[in-house]
Amino acid sequence: MGPGSAIHVFIFALLISISGKFAGAEISSEVGINYGRLGNDLPSPSKSVELIKSLKAKRVKIYDANPDILKSLRNTDIQVSIMVPNALIPNMSTSQHFSDQWVETNVVPYYPDVKIRYLLVGNEILTNPDTGTWFNLVPAMRRIKISLTRRNIRKIKVGTPSAINVLESSSPPSNGTFRSDVSGPVIKPMLQFLNRTKSFFFIDFYPFFAWSENAPNISLDYALSNAQNVFGFFIAETGWPNGGDFEQFGANTYNSATYNRNVVRKLTTIPAIGTPARPGVAIPAFIFSLYNENQKPGPGTERHFGLYYPNGTEVFEIDLSGKTPLSGYKKPLPLPTNNEPYKGKLWCVVAKEANRSAVKDALAWACSQGNKTCDEIQPGKECYKPVSLFRHASYAFSSYWAEFKKIGGVCSFNGLATTTFKDPSFGQCKLPSVTL
């Protein structure tokens, strides 16, 4: 047996140990909600807490330690997960004083009136190539735990959420293995820490992306109904998009409601269903997310995971307590119209209500990418007149996407762009398109 195999065996033994503690811990499988705030049109924290209560959520996870949100959660029965931002991890990993001060500022003023139960260090740190933070992660977790212990705060579990790509293999879930670049230097000491502190392995799990990338080989019904078959013991994020770009088939309200209701039904079943490897074990989870967030970067699905629209109206009915049976939801769901891949031409244009200043910057960036992206919107060219920021930007966005899609370019521009099947060309100006 080589050293790599020995590490895998050691990590597997630790996971079994952690799962055993998890099975015996006082943890319920009630489903919570992720409360992200990457939007410029979202309700206030106090209104948001009322919406969280209306979902009958018993847990909420936020992506910082926002004081207004924490104040709004005082004296509620909602368990709270707070987060140390990624940018603070290097300082926290090397300075106990820095860690102590963070806890003094962000935990002590609210605890125990706010039922903080989880303190997550960073968010999906191991997803992207290392920028010097990977090896600071576990030391930062250790320091924050020391800071809590010094203040006799013992009910808060320390962890960190990882994306599913932390696994090298995840099928079948019970045979999952961690990526070789992190398994020894990061995952091994992390699992030792989680085992010693009786904490949990947090993972973000999105079947939509796995299904959409391999739709010919994965049944949509299977993807929508098998939420519990995940390698991991605390689902920090899971959900299904209620909308997206035209090329993002399967992202619709019907599928989002179906998936999220199935998550709630399966994870709140009594007795607990567990996983194939650990039947009967409660699996806590946070649904992503409370709102559609219009400033999230990336493709359109990133801005369409919410259970609520920013105006506070529900995208679809859902009861996170699990007490409403599937037959108990009365409002009919709109039938899906995009469960098959879109075939035809698409253009990338400025989204409605996009910020003019941000669009101007995005236009300049698109034009700076070369390959004659913006030649046709120069003075004297076919697409110069009428002189309009949004028309010029739509041309530049479409031209950029048509030129660079084949090497990974996307129609996003930090949420300023959207795809359309309606040809936005005008007069003699023909906007480049992408054909799917």
Side-chain angles (χ1 to χ4, degrees), residues 18-337:
I18 290 171
S19 67
K21 290 181 173 63
F22 186 92
E26 292 183 6
I27 187 77
S28 69
S29 55
E30 292 167 328
V31 178
I33 188 73
N34 284 281
Y35 176 11
R37 295 181 294 115
L38 291 179
N40 60 9
D41 54 357
L42 301 180
S44 67
S46 58
K47 172 63 175 176
S48 298
V49 170
E50 291 306 310
L51 292 175
I52 290 167
K53 291 178 181 177
S54 72
L55 291 169
K56 300 179 182 176
K58 294 297 185 182
R59 296 190 180 96
V60 62
K61 176 159 74 74
I62 60 177
Y63 292 83
D64 50 21
N66 181 278
D68 292 330
I69 297 176
L70 293 177
K71 289 173 186 175
S72 298
L73 287 163
R74 278 190 197 277
N75 301 315
T76 67
D77 196 36
I78 300 171
Q79 294 186 3
V80 180
S81 174
I82 62 175
M83 185 175 287
V84 176
N86 292 1
L88 300 185
I89 290 176
N91 286 339
M92 187 169 287
S93 71
T94 57
S95 171
Q96 189 62 50
H97 176 73
F98 185 91
S99 175
D100 290 346
Q101 287 300 114
W102 195 92
V103 169
E104 194 68 34
T105 301
N106 297 286
V107 178
V108 172
Y110 310 104
Y111 183 88
D113 292 343
V114 179
K115 294 179 69 173
I116 302 171
R117 290 294 180 267
Y118 314 103
L119 201 168
L120 304 182
V121 179
N123 189 42
E124 297 188 347
I125 291 296
L126 304 178
T127 295
N128 299 312
D130 184 28
T131 57
T133 308
W134 284 8
F135 305 109
N136 293 323
L137 179 57
V138 177
M141 294 167 68
R142 292 187 187 117
R143 290 195 184 277
I144 207 80
K145 181 63 177 177
I146 291 170
S147 297
L148 293 170
T149 303
R150 284 178 173 178
R151 286 152 183 81
N152 200 31
I153 299 173
R154 302 183 184 278
K155 288 187 176 181
I156 298 178
K157 300 295 185 182
V158 175
T160 186
S162 298
I164 199 72
N165 72 354
V166 75
L167 302 178
E168 203 157 59
S169 170
S170 59
S171 182
S174 57
N175 290 337
T177 56
F178 289 101
R179 293 196 330 254
S180 57
D181 58 337
V182 296
S183 62
V186 183
I187 297 296
K188 176 182 175 181
M190 181 193 298
L191 294 180
Q192 289 174 321
F193 169 83
L194 298 178
N195 184 52
R196 180 174 55 83
T197 61
K198 297 182 174 61
S199 189
F200 313 117
F201 187 82
F202 295 82
I203 198 159
D204 298 345
F205 177 64
Y206 290 97
F208 168 78
F209 297 108
W211 168 77
S212 61
E213 292 171 4
N214 197 21
N217 298 314
I218 301 176
S219 159
L220 176 59
D221 288 341
Y222 177 85
L224 291 172
S225 64
N226 281 273
Q228 87 278 16
N229 292 337
V230 58
F231 179 79
F233 302 110
F234 200 128
I235 303 175
E237 291 181 12
T238 193
W240 192 284
N242 57 59
D245 300 325
F246 283 99
E247 70 272 24
Q248 294 184 287
F249 59 96
N252 55 62
T253 300
Y254 184 93
N255 290 346
S256 181
T258 301
Y259 176 79
N260 286 313
R261 289 172 181 176
N262 279 334
V263 167
V264 173
R265 178 176 59 88
K266 292 197 171 185
L267 299 188
T268 59
T269 296
I270 299 174
I273 295 176
T275 68
R278 299 287 303 180
V281 174
I283 306 174
F286 291 98
I287 297 288
F288 190 85
S289 62
L290 185 59
Y291 297 115
N292 283 350
E293 300 169 60
N294 69 350
Q295 292 184 316
K296 289 202 70 177
T301 49
E302 292 296 313
R303 294 175 289 284
H304 290 87
F305 272 92
L307 302 186
Y308 286 102
Y309 296 108
N311 64 7
T313 60
E314 61 188 14
V315 178
F316 50 82
E317 294 176 284
I318 191 165
D319 171 6
L320 298 188
S321 74
K323 293 179 181 177
T324 301
L326 296 181
S327 60
Y329 297 113
K330 302 304 182 185
K331 296 179 183 178
L333 295 171
L335 294 178
T337 59

